[in-house]
Amino acid sequence: MKTDVLGVLYDNITMEEAVAAGRAFLTGSKTAYCVTPNAEMAYEALHNESFRTLLNSADLVLPDGAGVVLGAKILKTPLKQKVAGIEFAQNMLPVYEELGSRLYLLGSKPGVAELAAERMLEKHPKLIICGTADGYFKDESEVVRIINEAAADVLYVCLGAPKQEFFMFNHKDELNVRLMAGLGGTLDGIAGTVKRAPKWMIRLQLEWLYRLIKEPRRLGRMMRLPKFILAAIKKRWKGKEYGKTDRV
Ligand code: UDP
């Protein structure tokens, strides 16, 4: 079931259900793509119709972050839970091991995908990682060719938003994978090059504050989170729709 949160149609599912959906795509016949919009991305989608269409055309739309869950709650259309992209990416690994699915890691700075692959293999020795490439390439069609040549079944696309969503949407017909997912900084997180917040901060929904302290240059982008919440409050109390000409 889809839940509309300020125009982005999220799958209202638990992590367990998301993994089951991912598994079903692996045994299906089409190329499915999964997006993981957080509040920053959802706020961008509020004012950017093509990005919104791209998110809403995905086969799986996961609510990445406490901001989205809070926004949905304010709008009185609560989501079952946060389904963070990085956790979905990790929870799918045993499924690939079981099915023998070949995983390709694309994105982040040179060396990071290789490190993430090592970390994954430490925990999941039967996992098949059929290739890695950094996210700073010029020729997209060459990258598509290499991924197909590696006979990948699953592709993790970690190029940041909206680059990763455009990459998946634009190449889904050429890529011979069953499942691909746009996962932002997931490879950095798994590789350990960018640390996740301590558990207590995640529990208190303060992961955003940790990232802000670590990377103050993110402030401009992160201001989209309170703006997103404000837009939800305004819509809830005034029944007001925010479109591209009506910035909050
Ligand atoms: N990135 C990339 N190619 C680019 C731009 C960014 O591979 O052209 C990578 C970047 O190195 C980082 C990831 O995309 O690993 C996500 O970046 P960001 O922190 O902006 O995303 P978030 O985690 O907030 O979605």
Side-chain angles (χ1 to χ4, degrees):
M1 207 190 74
K2 294 277 186 184
T3 295
D4 183 336
V5 185
L6 295 179
V8 176
L9 305 174
Y10 284 94
D11 283 278
N12 188 9
I13 54 178
T14 62
M15 175 61 82
E16 213 175 27
E17 290 164 335
V19 170
R23 174 191 280 271
F25 291 134
L26 289 171
T27 51
S29 54
K30 66 166 194 169
T31 300
Y33 78 96
C34 165
V35 293
T36 59
N38 56 19
E40 289 171 21
M41 287 162 70
Y43 184 76
E44 179 62 28
L46 198 56
H47 308 288
N48 180 338
E49 203 179 333
S50 57
F51 185 46
R52 187 166 65 236
T53 304
L54 221 147
L55 293 177
N56 289 340
S57 310
D59 300 272
L60 196 58
V61 183
L62 301 178
D64 179 304
V68 175
V69 174
L70 178 60
K73 201 169 166 185
I74 290 166
L75 291 164
K76 294 264 187 233
T77 50
L79 290 161
K80 284 184 187 171
Q81 61 170 228
K82 167 179 110 174
V83 183
I86 184 166
E87 281 153 27
F88 172 72
Q90 284 170 310
N91 291 341
M92 283 301 294
L93 300 179
V95 179
Y96 310 146
E97 271 187 306
E98 185 194 323
L99 300 179
S101 306
R102 296 163 64 83
L103 173 64
Y104 195 102
L105 305 177
L106 174 66
S108 56
K109 298 201 177 92
V112 176
E114 288 81 354
L115 248 163
E118 276 175 35
R119 294 286 102 81
M120 288 178 184
L121 287 166
E122 278 163 18
K123 284 199 181 138
H124 304 278
K126 282 192 261 146
L127 186 66
I128 305 165
I129 297 181
C130 64
T132 56
D134 70 70
Y136 297 86
F137 48 83
K138 288 212 172 71
D139 187 349
E140 292 201 357
S141 51
E142 177 62 7
V143 173
V144 169
R145 190 190 64 76
I146 291 168
I147 294 165
N148 281 339
E149 214 169 74
D153 301 300
V154 187
L155 175 63
Y156 282 0
V157 190
C158 304
L159 306 173
K163 196 174 172 185
Q164 61 202 12
E165 287 76 22
F166 278 100
F167 181 90
M168 292 192 290
F169 187 80
N170 291 339
H171 300 293
K172 65 180 170 6
D173 294 335
E174 304 147 64
L175 282 159
N176 296 325
V177 296
R178 293 279 73 82
L179 170 66
M180 51 187 164
L183 294 163
T186 287
L187 295 179
D188 294 304
I190 294 177
T193 43
V194 173
K195 286 230 172 325
R196 272 197 95 184
K199 287 215 172 76
W200 67 267
M201 284 188 99
I202 297 177
R203 215 173 31 245
L204 292 175
Q205 318 276 28
L206 291 174
E207 194 162 13
W208 61 272
L209 180 63
Y210 180 83
R211 292 190 80 171
L212 183 61
I213 294 165
K214 287 275 172 189
E215 293 173 76
R217 66 181 170 84
R218 296 176 77 96
L219 183 64
R221 241 177 64 180
M222 285 183 76
M223 281 312 289
R224 290 185 195 150
L225 193 146
K227 286 178 180 171
F228 171 80
I229 298 299
L230 193 63
I233 293 170
K234 287 191 173 165
K235 177 154 187 233
R236 169 77 180 90
W237 296 109
K238 296 186 187 161
K240 192 164 167 40
E241 293 284 351
Y242 279 83
K244 51 182 174 232
T245 53
D246 195 2
R247 297 199 80 95
V248 181

